[in-house]
Amino acid sequence: MTLLAVGINYQTAPVSVRERLSFPADVLQPSLQELHNLKEISEAAILSTCNRTEFYCAASTTNQQILIDWVAQNKHLDSHDLTPYLYSHTGPALIRHIFRVASGLDSMILGEPQILGQMKTAYQAACDAGTLGKHLGKLFQHTFTAAKKVRTDTAIGSSPVSVAFAAVQLAQQIFDKLSEQTALLIGAGETIELTARHLSQQGIGRLIIANRTFDKAHALATQFNGYAIDLSELPNHLAEADIVISSTASSLPILGKGRVESALKKRKHKPMFMVDLAVPRDIEAEVEQLRDVYLYTVDDLQHTIDQNMNSRRLAAAQAEEIIDTQVDYFLAWLRAQGAQSTLRDFRLSAETIRDEALQKAQLALKNGASAEETLNRLAHTLTNKLIHTPSSQIRIAAENERHDLVAAAREIFKLSDTQ
């Protein structure tokens, strides 16, 4: 049995290739079962995210081409066109890889936590499809343990490394309770969506999303129980906002000093926290001069992000040490599986000898033999039969000068040295 993995990720393939190899939830189960039906594959799981697709298998071969050909056929691609974008791992390298992926060490954003949840989803999908067995099942369980230990024992996920997260964290430092605040987000792109998600997770009281295209604002606001407005309505709602975060592609500022000053008057100079994540700026620099405004730009946050990324890199070095240890633990488990059939056969042989000796003892008692005599004979018979084969094999090993086997026998049976 060989553990085998093939995959692509954001480092090896552009999004145009990655999207062709994605496995949405509605096709995942039949695809897993189809992969599992290959005669060389005994266990299978598929991890599919926007940044990577990976196939994990327990196989009777180390030939990765079998897996590549199946992927190409499933996605109606030429395997030769696919190969340049792929990477593969077997054995210890695979174990290390999956541990690193689940711990966020192989992610676009170092230490990001979402991948662990995606890995658990892949595990559950394989369970539901009936394509997991002892080896892959154990590998996933050990993967979750390794990732949890990395999260618990290092600071790899404790510092924000996206401007959206950093902005929300800064808002939390300024306001005691986000649940009592109103946030106004300007824009509807990826950064604003991520900001909305973080604010929602932190329990923001009210969320307003303004965008030049109302339908985009409405679609985003609906996801987070927010309220959508057209950008032209901004002057009417600005005074409601305790938090303003803007990220648009506008070439000119959207908020000027005069408009913010008017909003502050309506608010009776209740402070406003403003973050401009756009380049070029959405908020005029002069707004910073207003007494009741706390204005931060993307550059202000970038310093924090750079510091936090350095912290994550230091934590990643600790995480690699943890993973080294966890890989050794799993390899030890794998090696132990190789002895299972031997242990099973050894136990079966001993139980057969026991049953035969016990049957003779019971017959002797039935025929009137004394209990003491029967017990002595049973003990003598069991001892002789249990040590006969090992004794014979040790003698043969010594005659053939197989001193390694004699030494192994002493270790296995824990025999103390005698003079």
Side-chain angles (χ1 to χ4, degrees):
M1 188 282 304
T2 299
L3 292 175
L4 176 66
V6 169
I8 62 168
N9 63 21
Y10 67 96
Q11 293 174 310
T12 68
V15 66
S16 59
V17 176
R18 298 201 306 273
E19 64 188 5
R20 296 187 71 182
L21 258 66
S22 68
F23 283 78
D26 58 335
V27 304
L28 190 54
Q29 182 164 328
S31 298
L32 279 165
Q33 291 170 341
E34 182 184 325
L35 175 58
H36 185 250
N37 285 338
L38 295 179
K39 68 177 183 179
E40 298 89 353
I41 305 297
S42 57
E43 303 177 43
I46 299 174
L47 171 68
S48 184
T49 76
C50 59
N51 282 331
R52 70 178 67 242
T53 298
E54 296 187 341
F55 308 87
Y56 307 105
C57 297
S60 60
T61 178
T62 58
N63 183 9
Q64 65 188 45
Q65 194 61 43
I66 292 170
L67 192 49
I68 295 171
D69 289 343
W70 177 84
V71 174
Q73 182 181 5
N74 183 275
K75 293 299 181 180
H76 308 292
L77 300 170
D78 188 316
S79 61
H80 295 294
D81 295 336
L82 189 59
T83 301
Y85 301 106
L86 295 172
Y87 49 84
S88 64
H89 300 290
T90 60
L94 182 154
I95 299 163
R96 182 179 304 281
H97 174 75
I98 193 173
F99 287 3
R100 294 185 79 255
V101 169
S103 301
L105 295 176
D106 196 53
S107 296
M108 185 179 293
I109 299 175
L110 182 64
E112 61 92 5
Q114 288 84 4
I115 187 62
L116 179 56
Q118 292 165 333
M119 188 73 78
K120 289 181 177 179
T121 299
Y123 167 76
Q124 190 58 54
C127 284
D128 293 343
T131 60
L132 280 188
K134 179 172 70 172
H135 293 93
L136 271 191
K138 183 70 172 181
L139 177 60
F140 271 99
Q141 291 299 329
H142 207 121
T143 297
F144 303 149
T145 299
K148 182 179 179 181
K149 191 163 183 62
V150 166
R151 292 275 160 196
T152 302
D153 294 1
T154 75
I156 196 164
S158 62
S159 304
V161 289
S162 72
V163 289
F165 196 102
V168 173
Q169 188 182 61
L170 191 55
Q172 287 179 288
Q173 293 173 8
I174 291 174
F175 298 102
D176 289 337
K177 294 181 179 179
L178 289 185
S179 60
E180 297 176 359
Q181 313 305 320
T182 293
L184 170 62
L185 306 184
I186 306 173
E190 183 179 344
T191 299
I192 290 298
E193 180 179 353
L194 191 55
T195 303
R197 178 169 285 105
H198 290 316
L199 284 168
S200 178
Q201 290 171 346
Q202 298 305 319
I204 189 69
R206 184 167 174 247
L207 189 63
I208 303 171
I209 298 178
N211 192 54
R212 207 175 301 276
T213 305
F214 177 80
D215 288 345
K216 287 186 177 180
H218 178 70
L220 187 55
T222 301
Q223 292 184 49
F224 304 105
N225 297 317
Y227 176 69
I229 62 172
D230 190 271
L231 200 59
S232 61
E233 300 178 76
L234 197 56
N236 301 327
H237 294 273
L238 186 57
E240 302 170 32
D242 305 297
I243 300 166
V244 179
I245 301 176
S246 186
S247 178
T248 76
S250 175
S251 58
L252 296 172
I254 291 171
L255 289 177
K257 182 180 178 183
R259 183 169 289 176
V260 176
E261 199 166 19
S262 297
L264 285 171
K265 288 179 181 178
K266 291 182 183 179
R267 291 171 59 83
K268 298 180 180 179
H269 294 277
K270 183 181 176 184
M272 295 178 73
F273 168 68
M274 308 183 80
V275 182
D276 188 352
L277 300 178
V279 180
R281 296 186 186 187
D282 283 338
I283 304 173
E284 285 184 351
E286 290 76 12
V287 169
E288 191 175 13
Q289 299 169 7
L290 297 173
R291 183 176 178 181
D292 299 306
V293 171
Y294 299 91
L295 175 61
Y296 295 84
T297 68
V298 68
D299 287 344
D300 296 323
L301 297 180
Q302 193 60 50
H303 177 67
T304 300
I305 290 168
D306 289 343
Q307 286 183 318
N308 290 345
M309 184 55 80
N310 286 334
S311 296
R312 287 199 176 195
R313 290 191 185 103
L314 291 173
Q318 294 176 280
E320 296 286 5
E321 294 177 4
I322 292 172
I323 285 174
D324 285 344
T325 302
Q326 294 298 316
V327 168
D328 288 342
Y329 288 161
F330 188 76
L331 286 173
W333 179 83
L334 271 183
R335 288 191 294 270
Q337 302 316 295
Q340 289 303 309
S341 60
T342 299
L343 290 171
R344 183 174 59 249
D345 292 344
F346 181 59
R347 175 175 291 276
L348 181 62
S349 174
E351 288 175 347
T352 300
I353 292 171
R354 176 203 63 195
D355 292 344
E356 289 176 354
L358 181 59
Q359 189 176 20
K360 289 182 179 179
Q362 289 172 334
L363 182 60
L365 287 173
K366 188 176 180 180
N367 290 333
S370 70
E372 183 177 0
E373 179 185 353
T374 302
L375 284 174
N376 285 334
R377 187 180 297 279
L378 174 62
H380 180 76
T381 300
L382 273 177
T383 301
N384 283 342
K385 285 186 175 291
L386 288 172
I387 69 171
H388 171 74
T389 299
S391 298
S392 176
Q393 293 301 110
I394 291 171
R395 189 177 299 109
I396 293 171
E399 290 172 356
N400 293 325
E401 297 186 347
R402 291 294 308 275
H403 305 300
D404 56 327
L405 290 182
V406 176
R410 297 197 69 86
E411 183 175 349
I412 288 172
F413 295 113
K414 293 188 177 298
L415 303 177
S416 57
D417 290 330
T418 56
Q419 297 299 327

